[in-house]
Amino acid sequence: MLRILQVRDDAGAIKVVAWDGEGQARVVNGVSSTYDLATQAVAASRTLSQQIDSLGLGAVVDLDQAAASNKIALPITHPDPAHFIVAGTGLTHLGSADGRDKMHKAAQAEEKPTDSMRMFLMGVEGGKPQPGQAGVQPEWFYKGNGSQLRATGEDLVSPAFALDGGEEPELAGIYMIGPDGTPFRLGFCLANEFSDHVTEKGNYLWLAHSKLRQAALGPELLVGDLPDHVEGTSRVLRGDKPIFEKPFLSGEANMSHTIANLEHHNFKYDIFRQPGDLHVHFFGTATLSFSEGIKTESGDVFEISAAPFKLPLVNRLAVAADVPVTVKPL
């Protein structure tokens, strides 16, 4: 499977790199970024693979060395981060409602299904419609814009006011909107949809607040169809010791929605089909260290890996300094 990466050279300039996951990784000629490559492909009515073939490949890149020297950048960026929309869906994976249900049932006086469980069951019943039909809409949340995204090796910085900074090992789809408003899926990334689960637990209506955090994307943009079954491992390390390690599952075989249904309910809104914009859409998870009673600390390291991705996503947790905000009238 074709993988596209962005790697910084010794001068700090971005090189677009194509890799099949086995052989040598090589620089793609004639492009300055993955965004540039995708723009050229759409204009030429070609796939990403066809556009790379037309441009040709250049110098070999040592990805192990690039990773060791923190030269692997985000797999895609937008020239203006405000035009890179970061959003996602929750309660989409089989078993994903368990932790959320326990979280919110404790605050509920009556013994009845929580809204989380009801939404999850709606997805189980209607999240996989027949091709060409729209299924039930999922939970949806907004995380910010491209300025929130972090590459492997970079810190995930939790705000000073946050009550928690916890990992969410996921897969994410990457999209570009064409000149006529058509959404093009460029591929999939390994991801950490970093969130504040203590804030969310306090009141479900604070879910929106809990999601306004940074997030990380893995090194590889995997081009083509995602396997139906994806199995990975999520670890949290404190020093050299894992304090949490658990497998996680993704792919449509482990989801209550099809990816097409999640895409439909995101891009049905005109505002998300603005020409030239990029989108990253997180597809959800069922595995959290928070659900296992883990309280993360500054300096902890999140490590997420999953086949068919070859390279892990590794980020250290940091906490921002407290910066008071004052609104000034003009």
Side-chain angles (χ1 to χ4, degrees):
M1 298 179 70
L2 173 63
R3 294 153 169 80
I4 297 172
L5 303 88
Q6 291 193 138
V7 179
R8 288 184 291 271
D9 63 17
D10 291 338
I14 287 292
K15 301 295 184 183
V16 180
V17 175
W19 183 40
D20 65 3
E22 299 295 339
Q24 292 180 319
R26 305 181 76 97
V27 172
V28 179
N29 297 325
V31 289
S32 59
S33 66
T34 304
Y35 183 79
D36 183 20
L37 173 67
T39 301
Q40 290 186 21
V42 170
S45 298
R46 295 179 179 136
T47 66
L48 289 172
S49 180
Q50 289 169 343
Q51 185 62 22
I52 290 172
D53 287 343
S54 73
L55 294 169
L57 300 176
V60 173
V61 175
D62 186 331
L63 293 179
D64 290 335
Q65 184 180 40
S69 55
N70 284 329
K71 290 182 178 178
I72 297 183
L74 287 165
I76 188 167
T77 50
H78 194 287
D80 179 357
H83 286 276
F84 196 165
I85 297 169
V86 185
T89 49
L91 302 171
T92 54
H93 283 62
L94 303 176
S96 62
D98 290 345
R100 185 88 69 86
D101 189 53
K102 292 174 184 175
M103 188 187 301
H104 299 129
K105 187 167 282 185
Q108 183 175 282
E110 299 178 42
E111 188 63 30
K112 63 179 182 180
T114 63
D115 285 343
S116 294
M117 184 58 73
R118 289 175 57 216
M119 179 158 287
F120 171 71
L121 293 175
M122 289 170 66
V124 171
E125 295 174 4
K128 293 186 173 181
Q130 294 298 314
Q133 298 181 359
V136 67
Q137 61 186 359
E139 175 192 67
W140 184 93
F141 56 81
Y142 172 70
K143 285 191 69 71
N145 61 36
S147 65
Q148 296 277 70
L149 295 173
R150 296 294 177 267
T152 188
E154 294 184 325
D155 287 353
L156 280 170
V157 182
S158 187
F161 56 78
L163 302 179
D164 173 53
E167 87 295 341
E168 295 200 11
E170 303 190 14
L171 301 181
I174 308 297
Y175 305 85
M176 186 179 75
I177 309 303
D180 63 352
T182 298
F184 290 91
R185 187 200 307 126
L186 307 186
F188 298 93
C189 288
L190 197 59
N192 185 346
E193 196 266 290
F194 182 67
S195 299
D196 183 343
H197 302 104
V198 173
T199 292
E200 179 193 343
K201 183 178 180 180
N203 189 308
Y204 185 68
L205 296 179
W206 287 341
L207 176 70
H209 289 275
S210 75
K211 294 297 187 181
L212 288 172
R213 301 291 186 269
Q214 294 182 349
L217 296 179
E220 304 158 70
L221 176 64
L222 190 70
V223 178
D225 293 331
L226 188 71
D228 285 341
H229 178 81
V230 174
E231 185 170 351
T233 301
S234 177
R235 300 204 304 165
V236 181
L237 296 92
R238 185 164 296 163
D240 295 329
K241 178 184 177 183
I243 61 171
F244 174 80
E245 183 168 355
K246 194 170 182 178
F248 70 92
L249 301 176
S250 194
E252 286 192 0
N254 303 296
M255 295 171 65
S256 52
H257 288 259
T258 62
I259 289 172
N261 192 51
L262 300 180
E263 292 172 338
H264 164 75
H265 287 294
N266 188 75
F267 293 110
K268 68 184 181 183
Y269 296 101
D270 291 347
I271 195 172
F272 294 147
R273 300 197 306 274
Q274 300 301 304
D277 280 2
L278 289 177
H279 291 254
V280 55
H281 195 84
F282 293 92
F283 293 129
T285 188
T287 303
L288 308 172
S289 66
F290 177 79
S291 298
E292 304 292 328
I294 299 296
K295 175 64 176 175
T296 58
E297 299 176 358
S298 181
D300 288 349
V301 173
F302 305 118
E303 184 180 280
I304 299 169
S305 58
F309 300 93
K310 299 292 186 176
L311 303 176
L313 172 58
V314 182
N315 303 95
R316 187 176 69 98
L317 172 62
V319 178
D322 187 13
V323 181
V325 176
T326 301
V327 177
K328 297 181 178 180
L330 285 177

